Amino acid sequence: MSRADHMDVAAYALGVLDVQDTERFEEHLATCWACAAELETMVPVVGLLSDIDGETMMAMEQTATDPRLLDRTLVAVRTHRRKARFRQVLSMAAAVVAVGALSGVGVATFGNPGGGSGPVIAEPSRSAPVDGPASPQPTRSGPSVGGTEIEGDQFDATDGSTGVKTTMWLASKEYGTWIGFNLTRLPGPRTCRLVVIRKNDTTEVISTWAVPGTGYGTTANPQNLQLEASTSAPRGEIAKLQVQSVDANGVASPLVTLVP
């Protein structure tokens, strides 16, 4: 069997022969057991050989008389095959990534829609705020207030000795500082005042009031006492705010002290 016949076997296996050459080879194949055996051995590797087109086969036929040209052709074919396989690997990797991404979307979108078997997508608990806890806004309540929000920063203090409790709000103003304050557990009767103690140790009385015998925020009178006052002291210069009780002789004693 000539080399050309062998090349015809490969070309026939790859399907690159024209109609006339195909008919000629099939007539030859019917009487040549060697070509038939050669063709049978090529069947498992037809997929690998399919990377070689008809032009490559013709070039290989032309190299039959020049071994050096044959070697260069084989090197070029191997290089082409490696590049083709590399592109195939990249394509497969891209396909895997795409399938994985689509699978993730599928799970997130369609997972367990009816409560049956399959992946369950966790959801935020409805008992907890999704966007984080909101800052508490103090509100004023009581006579003539109407439940409006109080501006400024809120501070709380309770005196361990007297039991008087206060909540105060401080807001910076152009004239100084606005102060809103609530008092509870304040017994009466008595006269009280609110004193601002600055960081330079100077003091200023900014509000005075009378407490009835039932007091405020007590068992006899559950209603809190809500008041407002202002001072010329800037917010940053206030060291303490102190509610004092003043007796008939004008002597003051602290009821509760707050450090903002």
Side-chain angles (χ1 to χ4, degrees), residues 101-183:
L102 292 175
S103 299
V105 172
V107 170
T109 306
F110 303 107
N112 199 25
S117 60
V120 178
I121 308 302
E123 296 181 355
S125 171
R126 298 184 183 274
S127 62
V130 176
D131 297 330
S135 300
Q137 296 294 331
T139 57
R140 301 171 66 184
S141 60
S144 305
V145 175
T148 58
E149 293 184 354
I150 297 181
E151 62 179 328
D153 300 323
Q154 178 179 335
F155 302 92
D156 300 279
T158 302
D159 190 278
S161 299
T162 64
V164 178
K165 180 179 180 180
T166 184
T167 298
M168 297 189 182
W169 293 267
L170 279 69
S172 296
K173 299 292 183 179
E174 293 181 356
Y175 55 76
T177 304
W178 173 88
I179 302 170
F181 59 102
N182 288 357
L183 289 167

Side-chain angles (χ1 to χ4, degrees), residues 11-12 15-29:
Y12 179 79
V16 297
L17 295 178
D18 58 23
V19 176
Q20 293 180 352
D21 289 340
T22 299
E23 293 178 353
R24 177 189 60 77
F25 179 78
E26 289 178 348
E27 292 176 357
H28 171 77
L29 186 64

Side-chain angles (χ1 to χ4, degrees), residues 45-57:
V45 293
V46 168
L48 295 176
L49 294 176
S50 61
D51 287 337
I52 305 176
D53 54 18
E55 294 180 357
T56 303
M57 293 298 301

Side-chain angles (χ1 to χ4, degrees), residues 69-111:
L69 182 58
L70 175 60
D71 292 339
R72 290 196 296 269
T73 302
L74 291 176
V75 170
V77 170
R78 293 190 189 103
T79 303
H80 171 74
R81 285 182 177 179
R82 284 196 298 268
K83 291 182 179 179
R85 290 170 184 170
F86 181 69
R87 290 193 298 268
Q88 184 179 14
V89 170
L90 290 181
S91 300
M92 293 177 62
V96 170
V97 172
V99 171
L102 292 175
S103 299
V105 172
V107 170
T109 306
F110 303 107

